[in-house]
Short mmCIF file of all heavy atoms in Angstrom, two decimals:
data_model
loop_
_atom_site.label_atom_id
_atom_site.label_comp_id
_atom_site.label_asym_id
_atom_site.label_seq_id
_atom_site.Cartn_x
_atom_site.Cartn_y
_atom_site.Cartn_z
N THR A 883 -86.14 180.82 176.86
CA THR A 883 -87.41 180.17 177.22
C THR A 883 -88.33 181.08 178.02
O THR A 883 -89.52 180.84 178.10
CB THR A 883 -87.14 178.91 178.06
OG1 THR A 883 -86.60 179.30 179.33
CG2 THR A 883 -86.18 177.97 177.33
N VAL A 893 -74.82 185.19 189.98
CA VAL A 893 -75.24 186.56 189.71
C VAL A 893 -74.91 187.47 190.89
O VAL A 893 -74.40 188.60 190.72
CB VAL A 893 -76.75 186.61 189.38
CG1 VAL A 893 -77.25 188.04 189.30
CG2 VAL A 893 -77.02 185.87 188.07
N GLY A 906 -77.42 190.15 197.66
CA GLY A 906 -77.44 188.89 198.40
C GLY A 906 -78.36 187.87 197.75
O GLY A 906 -79.16 188.19 196.88
N GLN A 913 -83.83 183.63 192.93
CA GLN A 913 -84.01 184.99 193.44
C GLN A 913 -82.69 185.66 193.79
O GLN A 913 -81.76 185.02 194.28
CB GLN A 913 -84.88 184.96 194.71
CG GLN A 913 -86.30 184.48 194.50
CD GLN A 913 -86.95 184.13 195.81
OE1 GLN A 913 -86.59 183.15 196.44
NE2 GLN A 913 -87.91 184.96 196.23
N ALA A 929 -82.27 207.18 192.48
CA ALA A 929 -81.02 206.95 191.75
C ALA A 929 -80.35 205.66 192.21
O ALA A 929 -79.82 204.89 191.40
CB ALA A 929 -80.08 208.14 191.94
N ALA A 960 -91.71 176.11 188.80
CA ALA A 960 -91.26 176.75 190.04
C ALA A 960 -91.70 176.02 191.29
O ALA A 960 -91.46 176.50 192.41
CB ALA A 960 -91.78 178.19 190.09
N PRO A 969 -77.66 176.35 206.07
CA PRO A 969 -78.22 175.60 207.21
C PRO A 969 -79.55 176.15 207.71
O PRO A 969 -80.44 175.40 208.10
CB PRO A 969 -77.12 175.73 208.28
CG PRO A 969 -75.86 175.96 207.52
CD PRO A 969 -76.25 176.74 206.30
N SER A 1006 -96.61 200.69 214.37
CA SER A 1006 -97.22 199.60 213.60
C SER A 1006 -98.74 199.58 213.74
O SER A 1006 -99.46 199.32 212.77
CB SER A 1006 -96.63 198.26 214.08
OG SER A 1006 -97.31 197.17 213.50
N ASN A 1007 -99.24 199.89 214.93
CA ASN A 1007 -100.70 199.90 215.14
C ASN A 1007 -101.39 200.88 214.21
O ASN A 1007 -102.51 200.64 213.75
CB ASN A 1007 -101.01 200.27 216.59
CG ASN A 1007 -100.54 199.22 217.58
OD1 ASN A 1007 -100.40 198.05 217.25
ND2 ASN A 1007 -100.27 199.65 218.81
N LEU A 1019 -101.75 199.43 195.46
CA LEU A 1019 -100.91 200.34 194.68
C LEU A 1019 -99.77 199.62 193.97
O LEU A 1019 -99.37 200.02 192.87
CB LEU A 1019 -100.32 201.42 195.60
CG LEU A 1019 -101.23 202.56 196.02
CD1 LEU A 1019 -100.55 203.40 197.10
CD2 LEU A 1019 -101.60 203.42 194.83
N ASP A 1058 -95.55 193.73 225.20
CA ASP A 1058 -96.63 192.92 224.65
C ASP A 1058 -96.14 192.16 223.41
O ASP A 1058 -96.38 190.96 223.25
CB ASP A 1058 -97.80 193.83 224.32
CG ASP A 1058 -99.06 193.09 223.90
OD1 ASP A 1058 -99.18 191.89 224.21
OD2 ASP A 1058 -99.94 193.73 223.28
N THR A 1077 -87.89 184.92 211.06
CA THR A 1077 -89.10 184.27 210.55
C THR A 1077 -90.37 184.87 211.17
O THR A 1077 -91.43 184.28 211.10
CB THR A 1077 -89.06 182.75 210.76
OG1 THR A 1077 -88.72 182.44 212.12
CG2 THR A 1077 -88.02 182.12 209.85
N GLU A 1103 -89.19 203.76 189.69
CA GLU A 1103 -90.03 204.93 189.96
C GLU A 1103 -91.12 204.58 190.97
O GLU A 1103 -91.38 205.33 191.92
CB GLU A 1103 -90.64 205.42 188.65
CG GLU A 1103 -91.52 206.63 188.78
CD GLU A 1103 -92.07 207.08 187.43
OE1 GLU A 1103 -91.27 207.34 186.51
OE2 GLU A 1103 -93.30 207.16 187.30
N MET A 1110 -91.55 206.71 199.64
CA MET A 1110 -91.96 208.03 200.12
C MET A 1110 -93.30 207.97 200.83
O MET A 1110 -93.52 208.65 201.84
CB MET A 1110 -92.02 209.01 198.95
CG MET A 1110 -90.68 209.30 198.28
SD MET A 1110 -89.38 209.83 199.43
CE MET A 1110 -88.42 208.30 199.63
N VAL A 1117 -93.97 208.77 209.61
CA VAL A 1117 -93.85 210.08 210.26
C VAL A 1117 -95.19 210.48 210.88
O VAL A 1117 -95.25 210.95 212.04
CB VAL A 1117 -93.38 211.14 209.24
CG1 VAL A 1117 -93.53 212.55 209.82
CG2 VAL A 1117 -91.93 210.89 208.85
N ALA A 1144 -107.88 193.81 198.03
CA ALA A 1144 -106.78 194.55 197.40
C ALA A 1144 -105.93 193.63 196.55
O ALA A 1144 -105.51 194.00 195.44
CB ALA A 1144 -105.94 195.23 198.47
N ASP A 1155 -112.67 199.27 203.36
CA ASP A 1155 -112.07 200.06 204.43
C ASP A 1155 -112.05 199.18 205.68
O ASP A 1155 -113.11 198.85 206.22
CB ASP A 1155 -112.90 201.32 204.67
CG ASP A 1155 -112.29 202.23 205.72
OD1 ASP A 1155 -111.50 201.75 206.55
OD2 ASP A 1155 -112.63 203.43 205.71
N ALA A 1170 -107.83 208.97 200.18
CA ALA A 1170 -107.85 209.10 201.64
C ALA A 1170 -106.45 208.94 202.21
O ALA A 1170 -106.06 209.65 203.15
CB ALA A 1170 -108.80 208.07 202.24
N ARG A 1190 -98.33 213.55 191.98
CA ARG A 1190 -98.28 213.36 190.52
C ARG A 1190 -98.17 211.88 190.17
O ARG A 1190 -98.86 211.39 189.27
CB ARG A 1190 -97.08 214.14 189.96
CG ARG A 1190 -96.96 214.07 188.44
CD ARG A 1190 -95.86 214.98 187.94
NE ARG A 1190 -94.54 214.62 188.45
CZ ARG A 1190 -93.87 215.31 189.37
NH1 ARG A 1190 -94.41 216.40 189.91
NH2 ARG A 1190 -92.68 214.91 189.76
N VAL A 1218 -94.94 188.84 178.36
CA VAL A 1218 -94.97 189.44 179.69
C VAL A 1218 -93.55 189.48 180.26
O VAL A 1218 -93.11 190.49 180.82
CB VAL A 1218 -95.90 188.65 180.62
CG1 VAL A 1218 -95.90 189.27 182.03
CG2 VAL A 1218 -97.31 188.59 180.06
N GLY A 1229 -87.97 201.49 183.29
CA GLY A 1229 -89.42 201.62 183.17
C GLY A 1229 -89.93 202.86 183.85
O GLY A 1229 -89.47 203.25 184.94
#
Side-chain angles (χ1 to χ4, degrees):
T883 67
V893 171
Q913 296 164 290
S1006 172
N1007 294 334
L1019 283 171
D1058 187 19
T1077 50
E1103 181 179 304
M1110 295 307 101
V1117 168
D1155 183 338
R1190 183 173 62 253
V1218 179

